[in-house]
Amino acid sequence: MLRTNTCGELRISDVGKKVKLNGWVQRVRDKGALVWIDLRDRYGITQIFGEEGVTDKELLNQMKELGREFVISVEGEVAERFSKNDKIPTGDIELKIEKLEVLNESKVPPFKIENETDGGEDLRMKYRYLDLRRDVVRSSLQIRHRMAKSVRDYLDHQEFIEVETPVLIKSTPEGARDFLVPSRMNPGEFYALPQSPQTFKQILMVAGFDRYFQLVKCFRDEDLRADRQPEFTQIDCEMSFVEREDILQTFEGLAKYLFKEVKGIEVEDFPRMEYADAMSLYGSDKPDIRFEMTFKDLNEVAKGKGFKVFDDSEAVLGICVKGCAEYTRKQLDEITNWVKRPQIGAKGLVYVKCNADGSYKSSVDKFFNQDDLKAWAEVSGAEANDLLLVLSGDLKKTRKALGELRLEMGSRLGLRDKNVFKPLWVVNFPLLEWDEESERFHAMHHPFTSPIPEDLKKLETEPGEVRANAYDMVINGVEIGGGSIRIHNRDVQSRMFDALGFTKEEAQAQFGFLLEAFEYGAPPHGGIAFGFDRLCSLFGGSDSIRDFIAFPKNTSGRDVMIDSPSPASLEQLKELGIKLFEEK
Ligand code: ASP
């Protein structure tokens, strides 16, 4: 070994020991007669010390010449520090240098390798290996490692086995575009990268594997958003001979285990919420239940008083913001402008201040008297000092906008503490969703999701009303996982393909293998998949999943370090039988 210890290891009890450390030079402080080096490795930082009269002159000069990020090896004796640093675990000691060897030099790094860095996102991504030297980034990946280990421990304990499924497959319908890979040996034909291992894990159930899981890369060619990556990792799971309740219990157990193992916290049993309730109370299928502020339906009390905006609206919905009746004009204008931004899309905002003296002041006093406003307050559960915020319009849009406003108010009032975790299950999603563009129904989850048995009879007559036996795990307003009980009957699966507008031939061409497998003794089964990157970022208290991926892509889907994607040579294309499309 080139070293006896790591840079995070030595303590006061080691004083007097002769040791050898290796690491990167974080910085050199040169006070002439006294020189300090902060030496860093994955485990921490240790201070190296040299002084005139004690340290060999040449060695002292050598110390002074070290540049940032040089890789060095030092030998010396552990000594108690004169002025201690209680911010780092090695802060009581330093190494009195006796020998120094430069193992490798370094160019001056393009940004500071410290927690507070001066490097912008692009620069840090280009030099990701330098970024990864920073404590904050490395500790995120350590959380990821710990999570993966705990996931495997828990599932192994529950008799799940990890099975690898192929990466070169054919389209799996998860609602995004596929990444295609040309096949040299089959010119003009393409593999698709898996959007998920969905069909394979169901086939594994037919094969009798009973409990499967996999930490697996999935690929979706979607427009990127801040928290999306074209390739991401799922904890993918499937079980046989189960009902929904078994799956919810098993994976609630997994989440609780992770909270305990990784964060040392006990979370309560997860409440269950119907999709329909999530939408009507929170305007979202992934409600943040760290705080209340649920929607109140004001249709009955607010319509028919001559205020045309409300009278012409499908929905008049409000939220009660506790203790905010004193908001100033300026604050209310700010919130009004906030909801009018195109991302939120509300036309305006109506407010009612419930004053301390029992009177009301609203932005629509012209149309509504004190009694009217009192009725609103009663319906909303608003008391003295509360502020009512009301939006109106088309039901779907109003719910969405008010849902956003609710989250914004929650954030402004500090009700969304990152260290508080409130998981829940959202259940009974609609099976199908009408798509305006293609003018047909799409599977809300995927086409293998089973309808709730009592709704099956409506599949042909009222497809939009059929509920799915599907569930999402939601934590703090983030969808962490989703799954369903599957269809395991060939006829029901065919009816589902019909409802989705597949012709028999299309269904056969795309999923014939699965339909056929269902004819060879498919057990009842169901499963779930978790977004692993997102789960890690939630545990790490960050909004960005990129921090938890060693080599992420940027928002244009590029890896700026290796500069990919990049053009293929004409030869390569020719070999693959691909002609580039030329516009006329
Ligand atoms: N394959 C699904 C997904 O990726 C999860 C599941 O149904 O198990 O969302």
Side-chain angles (χ1 to χ4, degrees), residues 148-281:
K149 161 92 171 57
S150 301
V151 166
R152 290 197 163 99
D153 287 347
Y154 175 86
L155 292 174
D156 176 61
H157 229 85
Q158 306 276 330
E159 303 292 344
F160 282 78
I161 56 174
E162 184 160 18
V163 182
E164 286 168 275
T165 52
V167 173
L168 297 176
I169 63 166
K170 99 192 210 168
S171 185
T172 10
E174 298 282 359
R177 281 194 192 84
D178 287 321
F179 280 101
L180 294 179
V181 181
S183 164
R184 182 180 55 81
M185 294 203 282
N186 305 277
E189 296 192 313
F190 297 82
Y191 301 100
L193 300 182
Q195 292 187 33
S196 82
Q198 185 62 34
T199 49
F200 283 95
K201 67 175 173 174
Q202 293 194 239
I203 296 270
L204 283 171
M205 294 304 109
V206 180
F209 274 64
D210 194 75
R211 290 179 170 211
Y212 141 94
F213 87 100
Q214 185 181 191
L215 275 156
V216 61
K217 271 286 170 75
C218 299
F219 306 85
R220 297 185 190 177
D221 190 3
E222 288 179 289
D223 294 337
L224 298 179
R225 288 197 308 241
D227 64 339
R228 268 204 197 142
Q229 287 279 309
E231 60 174 296
F232 59 98
T233 304
Q234 284 191 341
I235 312 169
D236 190 44
C237 312
E238 198 76 5
M239 302 169 85
S240 288
F241 305 116
V242 286
E243 291 178 327
R244 176 170 90 193
E245 193 51 35
D246 305 304
I247 294 189
L248 300 193
Q249 288 298 339
T250 305
F251 293 101
E252 185 167 325
L254 170 64
K256 285 179 177 168
Y257 181 79
L258 292 175
F259 275 116
K260 189 87 217 294
E261 286 295 303
V262 181
K263 298 209 66 90
I265 54 179
E266 307 260 1
V267 286
E268 289 168 18
D269 289 346
F270 299 9
R272 314 272 165 89
M273 193 183 292
E274 293 278 327
Y275 167 86
D277 293 336
M279 296 309 288
S280 66
L281 292 172

Side-chain angles (χ1 to χ4, degrees), residues 322-500:
K322 287 274 159 215
C324 288
E326 310 257 295
Y327 263 32
T328 60
R329 184 70 210 221
K330 193 163 157 247
Q331 282 171 303
L332 289 164
D333 283 348
E334 199 183 280
I335 301 173
T336 307
N337 289 332
W338 190 89
V339 294
K340 280 168 136 179
R341 295 176 322 150
Q343 299 95 304
I344 309 297
K347 294 216 175 64
L349 175 77
V350 168
Y351 68 82
V352 183
K353 293 174 163 186
C354 306
N355 296 326
D357 63 6
S359 68
Y360 300 94
K361 170 85 195 88
S362 85
S363 54
V364 283
D365 281 347
K366 250 198 262 164
F367 300 93
F368 300 94
N369 62 31
Q370 291 288 306
D371 282 343
D372 294 332
L373 298 175
K374 186 162 181 234
W376 295 23
E378 269 164 16
V379 170
S380 314
E383 297 165 343
N385 298 319
D386 293 350
L387 173 70
L388 262 181
L389 298 177
V390 182
L391 295 180
S392 67
D394 163 77
L395 178 65
K396 219 168 141 191
K397 285 190 189 144
T398 307
R399 278 180 171 175
K400 189 157 182 300
L402 193 62
E404 299 285 350
L405 177 61
R406 174 181 173 273
L407 292 178
E408 173 67 15
M409 295 313 294
S411 297
R412 284 181 190 226
L413 298 176
L415 303 173
R416 303 178 72 197
D417 184 345
K418 280 201 166 116
N419 298 311
V420 173
F421 295 94
K422 291 279 181 210
L424 79 151
W425 291 105
V426 177
V427 300
N428 295 345
F429 283 75
L431 185 70
L432 303 165
E433 197 173 28
W434 183 253
D435 183 57
E436 296 288 348
E437 219 170 279
S438 56
E439 297 200 327
R440 60 186 189 87
F441 281 105
H442 281 219
M444 190 143 173
H445 189 46
H446 50 56
F448 315 113
T449 295
S450 144
I452 298 258
E454 71 223 49
D455 289 1
L456 184 59
K457 55 181 182 297
K458 293 191 270 186
L459 189 56
E460 286 79 18
T461 48
E462 295 167 280
E465 297 298 308
V466 179
R467 287 167 302 163
N469 204 347
Y471 32 79
D472 274 359
M473 185 189 284
V474 174
I475 307 180
N476 293 0
V478 180
E479 184 203 322
I480 288 298
S484 58
I485 295 296
R486 324 296 184 192
I487 298 168
H488 67 282
N489 169 297
R490 190 194 155 123
D491 291 336
V492 178
Q493 188 65 68
S494 293
R495 283 171 67 189
M496 181 69 176
F497 286 140
D498 286 344
L500 293 171

